[in-house]
Amino acid sequence: LCETGLKRQASGQLESEQADKKAVPTDPEGRRFNLNTVIVNFANVGATYGVRVLGRQRERGDKLFDWDGIRKCVHHLKLELNLEVIGVIHENFGAFDNGKDYKIGIPE
């Protein structure tokens, strides 16, 4: 036992309970998870925002998606949770932005 409270293994590597707690989780094939990056399904987030926040309804023929939901989601993930965001959506997707202008592609 060293002064630091760590046990030395035969291979020369240090092992401790702290090291185990800080270990990055892996998938079944041993690949490390990247816990600093999140993949966001923009179509799902934009439509859910349209329904839950803006009160849009498919039954009335409303277009559910709104780019403002994406903007708020990315802002929260990047600036408040400090995550890298990768968004996924169909190429040349078009939808309303703030309930007004119809935009093709991802607006600013």
Side-chain angles (χ1 to χ4, degrees):
L1 199 57
C2 304
E3 290 178 23
T4 60
L6 302 173
K7 292 186 224 175
R8 190 169 288 278
Q9 293 181 330
S11 66
Q13 295 178 348
L14 296 176
E15 179 180 281
S16 74
E17 289 180 23
Q18 288 180 340
D20 290 339
K21 288 180 184 176
K22 292 182 181 180
V24 176
T26 59
D27 69 5
E29 295 178 8
R31 296 174 293 205
R32 296 174 63 173
F33 291 120
N34 179 350
L35 302 177
N36 297 316
T37 302
V38 62
I39 310 284
V40 177
N41 178 339
F42 281 179
N44 183 271
V45 171
T48 300
Y49 177 83
V51 171
R52 293 187 182 174
V53 176
L54 302 177
R56 295 181 181 168
Q57 296 177 9
R58 182 184 314 268
E59 296 79 19
R60 291 192 316 222
D62 295 342
K63 300 288 185 188
L64 304 182
F65 187 98
D66 196 291
W67 285 110
D68 198 42
I70 304 304
R71 194 174 291 112
K72 290 178 179 184
C73 171
V74 171
H75 179 271
H76 175 75
L77 293 170
K78 285 184 77 167
L79 300 180
E80 295 179 30
L81 299 182
N82 219 15
L83 295 171
E84 179 184 351
V85 178
I86 298 172
V88 179
I89 196 158
H90 291 285
E91 186 175 8
N92 298 321
F93 182 82
F96 289 100
D97 188 14
N98 284 321
K100 303 175 216 162
D101 303 322
Y102 191 83
K103 307 258 184 186
I104 303 242
I106 299 173
E108 294 293 319

